[in-house]
Amino acid sequence: MLLTQKNTIYYHPQGKEISVFEHCFRNQLPLMLKGATGSGKSRFVEYMAQQLDRELISVLCHEETSTVDLLGRYIIKGADTEWIDGPLTQAVRNGAIIYLDEIAEARPDVLVAIHSLTDHRRKLFLDRHHETLDAPPNFMLVASFNPGYQRGYKELKASTRQRFVMMTFHYPNKEIETQIIVNETNIDKNTALKLVNIAAKIRGLSELGLSETISTRLLVDAAKLIYSGLAPRLACRVAIVETLSDEPDIQSSLQDIINMNF
Amino acid sequence: MLLTQKNTIYYHPQGKEISVFEHCFRNQLPLMLKGATGSGKSRFVEYMAQQLDRELISVLCHEETSTVDLLGRYIIKGADTEWIDGPLTQAVRNGAIIYLDEIAEARPDVLVAIHSLTDHRRKLFLDRHHETLDAPPNFMLVASFNPGYQRGYKELKASTRQRFVMMTFHYPNKEIETQIIVNETNIDKNTALKLVNIAAKIRGLSELGLSETISTRLLVDAAKLIYSGLAPRLACRVAIVETLSDEPDIQSSLQDIINMNF
Amino acid sequence: MLLTQKNTIYYHPQGKEISVFEHCFRNQLPLMLKGATGSGKSRFVEYMAQQLDRELISVLCHEETSTVDLLGRYIIKGADTEWIDGPLTQAVRNGAIIYLDEIAEARPDVLVAIHSLTDHRRKLFLDRHHETLDAPPNFMLVASFNPGYQRGYKELKASTRQRFVMMTFHYPNKEIETQIIVNETNIDKNTALKLVNIAAKIRGLSELGLSETISTRLLVDAAKLIYSGLAPRLACRVAIVETLSDEPDIQSSLQDIINMNF
Amino acid sequence: MLLTQKNTIYYHPQGKEISVFEHCFRNQLPLMLKGATGSGKSRFVEYMAQQLDRELISVLCHEETSTVDLLGRYIIKGADTEWIDGPLTQAVRNGAIIYLDEIAEARPDVLVAIHSLTDHRRKLFLDRHHETLDAPPNFMLVASFNPGYQRGYKELKASTRQRFVMMTFHYPNKEIETQIIVNETNIDKNTALKLVNIAAKIRGLSELGLSETISTRLLVDAAKLIYSGLAPRLACRVAIVETLSDEPDIQSSLQDIINMNF
Amino acid sequence: MLLTQKNTIYYHPQGKEISVFEHCFRNQLPLMLKGATGSGKSRFVEYMAQQLDRELISVLCHEETSTVDLLGRYIIKGADTEWIDGPLTQAVRNGAIIYLDEIAEARPDVLVAIHSLTDHRRKLFLDRHHETLDAPPNFMLVASFNPGYQRGYKELKASTRQRFVMMTFHYPNKEIETQIIVNETNIDKNTALKLVNIAAKIRGLSELGLSETISTRLLVDAAKLIYSGLAPRLACRVAIVETLSDEPDIQSSLQDIINMNF
Amino acid sequence: MLLTQKNTIYYHPQGKEISVFEHCFRNQLPLMLKGATGSGKSRFVEYMAQQLDRELISVLCHEETSTVDLLGRYIIKGADTEWIDGPLTQAVRNGAIIYLDEIAEARPDVLVAIHSLTDHRRKLFLDRHHETLDAPPNFMLVASFNPGYQRGYKELKASTRQRFVMMTFHYPNKEIETQIIVNETNIDKNTALKLVNIAAKIRGLSELGLSETISTRLLVDAAKLIYSGLAPRLACRVAIVETLSDEPDIQSSLQDIINMNF
C-alpha cells in the first residue's frame, strides 16, 4: 500500500525532531522513529517530506510484507510479462522518501532488501529485473516501529537496528495537544482542554494495565463527536472508554475520570 | 461473502446506539461494535443502513480472509485477465456501508488495508490495479468483534482499536426481549415471557461456566418450535439446553430451570 | 464427497427425534446431531430424507474441507473455464437436505459459508460465481459433531452452535439393538441377544478407559461373520476386541466378557 | 506407489488369519491388519490376493498421501487435460483388492475417502471426475497399521477403527521361522535354527528398551550374508546388531547373544 | 544434487567394511553407513563404486528432499512437457550405485519411495510417468545417517532401519590417520603425527561438551595451511579451535592442547 | 541480492586476518568469518577481493534464501523459458569470490548446495540445468555468521562447520577505531577519540544487558551528525542511545556516559 502525499500537513514540533531529520537527510543516514500508536510518527514524516519538497511513498508493513511487495514483480499480460516497480524501487528511482511503517512486522527478507541501501553502498539490487539502482542523494529511508507491543515476539535484530539513527516520539504536552484538537475539530478551547486533562489523568494511571494508553487521535475523535452534537460523556464513552478497554472494571474507572471533567 | 440488503428490518433500540451511529456516519468516523453472539450487532447495522438509505455490504471475516478477498483480484478469462472488485472496493466506489463482521479473525493484512481508510486520508490503495480511490462522504466502515471468545489468542492491536469509535452491545432487557420474540414468531406473550424468564435465570448463573450464555436467537428458535406444536420442554431441550452445553450435569441444571417454567 | 440416496432405509426410532427433525424442517431451522461413532446419526438423516421425500446430499468434513469444496469451483477445460457447483450449492439450488457430517473438523471458512444460510437471510453467496441463491423452503441444513473426541482441540465456537437446534444420539436400548442386528444380518435372535449383552457389559465398564465404546456397527459386523460360519469367539475377537483396543490387558478383559457369552 | 502382483507367493500361516480374511472377503467387510515391522502383514495380503485370484494394488501411505493420490487427478497434456485413475479408483473399477499400508500415516482426507466404501453404501465418490462408482462384490479394502510406533502422535480415530474388522500379527513360532529362513536363503537348517534362537533370546529381552524388536526379515538378511560367505558373527553384527540399535552398550549385549550361538 | 564420480579414489580400510559392502552388493541387500561427520563414509562409497566398476550417483538429503527430487518430474518446454529422470531413477535404469547421504533428513515420502526397492520386489514405481522399473542385479542402494546429531528430533523409523544392513564408521587409528594426512597434504610425517596427537587428546576430552568432535578433515585443513606457510599455532587456531567451538573458555582449552604440541 | 564491488576499500587490519585469508585462497579452502554486527566482516571481504583482484559477489542470507536463489532459475519469457544463473553459479563460472553473509539464516538446502563445493570435489551441481561446473582455482567461498544472536535457535550443524576454516572478528582497538572514524567522516581526531572512549565504556558495561553492544558503525553515524552540525549530545542520543536500547533506564545510563564525554 503506497501513498503519494503532496497536500499541506499541519505538524506541531515537540522537540528537535525536525533538526534531526534534516541532518539525517543531508548526511544520507536512514532514520527510524520509535513510539506508540498515534504519537504522530506518520504525520511527522508527511510534514518533513513536504518541508524538504520530496515525494513521500509510504508502506505499512505487516506479517506478510515481502521483498517482492517492495521491489516489484512481473505481471502477466496476455502472452507477455511486464515488470512493475514496487514502492521502494519507485522511491529509489525518483529520489523520494520511502516510509516503511511498522517495519518490524515485515518478513525477514524485507530487512535484507534494505541492507545495501542503508550502508556505504546505497544500492538497490533488483535481481529479478537484472538491474542495480544507485540511490540518488535525495533518496531517504525512514522506518517506524513500536517498542510497546513488540514485547516478546517481534524484535528488531541488532544488525538491523544499528543501521538506523533512531528517535522516540512521546505524546505532546498539554498546550500543544489542546491546540492540535482545536485545529483539527474547530471545537472550543475549553472543551479541548478538558479532553487533554482527561488524557493526562489516564496516561498517569499505570495501575489500569492498559496495553496502550490514550492517543491524541482518540481525543480528536471525541471532540468531533461533541462538536457534532453528541453528549460529551457519551462521546467520550464511545471514543475513549470503549476503545481503551473491554473490561467493565477498567471502563468504569475511565468513565469516572471523564465524568469528573464533563 | 457479501450481501446487499434493502428489505425492511425490524430493530428495537436498547440505548443511544442509533444516535452514536448517525454521528459517526456524519463525521466519517469508523465504528466498531463489540458484543457477544446474537446480541444484535448485525441486525443493528442492517437497520442503520436502511435508515440512512445506504447500500450495505457485509463480510464475515475468518482466519483466512485476506486483502485480496476484500480489495479484488484478477480472474483469467480465456487469454485475457479481468479485474473483479472485492466487497471493500465496491463499498468505497459506491459510497456504501461496509460491515466487517468479526474483524479480529481476519489475516493481518486486512487490518493494514483499512488503515488509510480510517484516518484523515480516507483513501483505498489498489496497488495491484494501479488505482487509488477516495472514499466519498457517505462511505462508512463498520466492524464487529467479540471480546468474549477473544481471550488469549486473537486480540486486536491497540493500533487498530484506536482507529475506531466503539460501542458494546448487551442482551436486551426483559420487556424488549419479550417483544422481539412475539414479533418474530407470533407466539403468545405469556410463552414469550416464560422464555425470557428462563434466559434471565440462565444468564445469572455464572457458576455453570458456559463459554457463552443464551442469546435471544435461541429463545426465538424455541418459540418457533413451540408455536409449531413441539412440546415446550422438548423444544427448550433441543433449542436451548443441547445448544448451550454437551455436559450432562450442566444440561440437567439447565433443564431444571426450564421445567420450573413449563 | 457427496451422495444422493433414494433407497429404502431401515431406521428404528429411539425417542422423539423424528418429531424434532420434522418441526425443524417445517420451521426452516438448521439441526445439529451430536453423538458418538456409530450411534446412528447418519442413518437417521438418510431415513428422514426418505420420509420427507427430499434428496439428501452428504459431505463428510475433515481438516481440509474448505468453502471451495462446498460451494464450487472453476475447472479449466482447454482454453475455457467452467463453473462446477459444489454439494452445498447443489443442495440449495435443488431444495435438498445437505448433511455436513463432523462439521467441527472442517476449516473455519466453511462455518462462515453457512452463516447466511442459518439466519433470517437464508441466502448462499457465491462470490466467485457472482451469484446469490435464496434457499427454497424445503432446503434444510443438518450437521453432526462428536463431543466425545472433541476434548481439548476442536470445539465449535458458540457463534456457530447457537445457530442450530441440537439433539444428542445415544446407543439404542437392548430390544431395539437386538432387532437391528437381526434385520441387518439375518442371524438368529438368540445370537443377536448375546451380542447385545456383550455390548451392554462393555459399555458399562468405564474402567477400561476405551476412547470410544462399542457401537452397534461392530455387533453387526460380528453377527455377519458368525452367520457366515466363523466361530463366534473368533468373530467377536476380530470384529470387537481388536477393534476396540490394541492393549493386551484390555483385549483380554474384553475377550473374557465374550467368552462368558459364547 | 502401487504394485500389481501376480507371482507365486510363499506364505506360512500362523493361525486362523486365512479363514478370517476369506470370511471378510465373502461378507464384503474391510479388514485391518495390525502388527510390527516385518511381521508378515504385506506378504499375507499378497498371498491372499493370489489365493482368491484377485488383482492386488498396494499403496504405502505416508504423511503426505492425500485423496488425490488415491482417487486420481487431471494431467495437462498440451492444450488438453486427461483424467488418470488413482490406485483406489482402479481397484474399485476392476474389483481388485486394495492394500493401504500404514494407513494411520496418511492425511485425514484419505480416511474420509474410504468412509463410503466401508459402510453399507460401498460407493466411491469421484467428485472431481463427476462420477460415482459402485464397488463390485469382489472389491476388498485391506489396511495396516503399526500400534507399536503409534505411541502418542498418530492414532486412528475410533470412527475409523470401528469401520474395520481387525487382526494382530505376531512373529512366527520357532519352527515356522526356521523354515521361512531356509526357504528364502537356502541356508542349512542348523544355521537357520541358530538365528531363530538368537531372535527368540532378543525378543525376550524387554530390558534392552528397543523401539522395535528383531523381525524375520533381519534373520533372512543375516542368513543371506552367511550363505554368501561372510563370517556369521560379522553377518549378524551388520544385519542385526547395528540395525537394532546405535547405542554401544545395547550393541554389546546383542553381540554377546550372537557370540553365544556362533 | 548428484555426482558421477569415475576418478581414482584413495581409501584406507579400517576393518572389514570392504568385505561387507561386497557381500551386500552380491546379495542385493541395501546398506546403511552410520557415523559422525568426516568419518569417511562418503569417500568409502566412492571407493567401492570404483572397485566394483559401477557408476555412483550421490544425493545429499535435506529437510526438503522429496520423492519428486529423486524420481523425476515433468518440465514444461514451450507447449510440450518433458519427463526428466531423477537421480534414483537414473541409478535404477543404469544399474548404478545410488548413495542417499543423510537419509534421515529427507521428507517422509522419500522413505516410502525406496520401500519397494529394498524388499523382495526390487521395483521402482514411477506413478507419474506410468512406468515400473525392475532394478537390475548391479543396482545397489546405499544410505548414510549420523546418529550423533539425530538426538531427539530426527530418528529413522524401525520400519526403515530394518530394511538395511548397517555398519558404523569410527575415526581411523593414529597410524592410519597420520598416513591419510601425509597423503593428502604432502606435509612431513612428524607434523602430521603432532596433528593426530592433538586430535586424540581432543577426542578424549568429553568434558568439553563439543556437539561433535574433531574429524580427520580438520586435521587435513590445518596441515594444508601449515604446509602453505602459515604458523602452526595459527593454522590450528583457524582450522580446528574456531571450527569446534565459539565459546572462549573451550577455545582456550583447545588452544592449550595445540600449544603443547607446536 | 548480489553486488559486484570494484572500488577502492579502506580497511585497517586488526591481526593476521589478511594472511589467513590469503592462505585459504591459495589452498582453495572455504573460510567462515564469525563476529558481531558491525565488526567489519563484510568490509574485510570487500578489501580482500580487491587485494586479490577477484570479483566479489555478496549474498545476504535470510530465512527464505533457498538453493534456487543461489543456483539460478528458469524464467518464462513469452512461450520460451530462459535459464538465469544465480549468484553462486556466476561466482563459480567466473572464478569470483562468493560471500554468503549470515549463512546460518538460510534454508537448509543452501547448506547442501555448497557441500560439493567445499570438499575435494569442488563441483557445483546444477541439476535443474543439467550442468555440472568445476570450480576454477580462483573461486573462493567465504561465509559469515554471528554466534552472538544465534543462541538457542539457529546453530550451524557440525557437518557444515567442519567444512570451513574459521576466524573471529572483534571490535578494533582504540587507536584503530579512532582512525576509522576520522577517515570516514573527516571529523577532528579529538571528537573521534571521545566517541571511541564512549564506546569503550559502554562495551565494558555487561550489566546493561544489551543484546548486542555498540559497533564502530554507530560511532561513524554519530560523528557524521556532529560534523554536520548537530549538537554532540543529541547526535549521540539518536545515533547511539536510542539505537542500543528502548528501555528508559538503560537509555539514561548510556546518556550519562555520553554526557561525561561531551
Side-chain angles (χ1 to χ4, degrees), chain A residues 27-55:
Chain A
N27 285 283
Q28 304 185 5
L29 291 171
L31 178 65
M32 187 170 295
L33 309 179
K34 302 190 288 188
T37 296
S39 56
K41 301 184 298 291
S42 298
R43 190 178 285 260
F44 171 61
V45 179
E46 291 180 28
Y47 175 77
M48 289 308 302
Q50 178 187 277
Q51 289 304 104
L52 296 167
D53 196 20
R54 306 304 320 151
E55 187 191 10

Side-chain angles (χ1 to χ4, degrees), chain A residues 1-3 37 46 60 62-64 84 105 212-213 215 217-218 221 228 230 238 242-243 245-246, chain B residues 19 23 27 29 34 107-109 112-113 115 121 125 127 130 157-159 161-164 166 168:
Chain A
M1 180 183 310
L2 68 105
L3 89 123
T37 296
E46 291 180 28
L60 181 51
H62 56 84
E63 291 170 37
E64 287 159 16
I84 307 291
E105 299 297 308
E212 203 158 320
T213 193
S215 68
R217 190 190 321 230
L218 296 193
D221 284 357
S228 158
L230 208 64
V238 297
E242 292 271 5
T243 297
S245 177
D246 303 326
Chain B
S19 178
H23 279 285
N27 286 283
L29 291 172
K34 303 190 287 188
R107 286 168 61 154
D109 60 338
V112 166
H115 263 219
R121 295 172 287 176
F125 298 103
D127 295 357
H130 298 289
K157 284 187 192 171
S159 62
R161 288 182 72 109
Q162 301 207 1
R163 290 170 173 280
F164 287 89
M166 291 197 176
T168 299

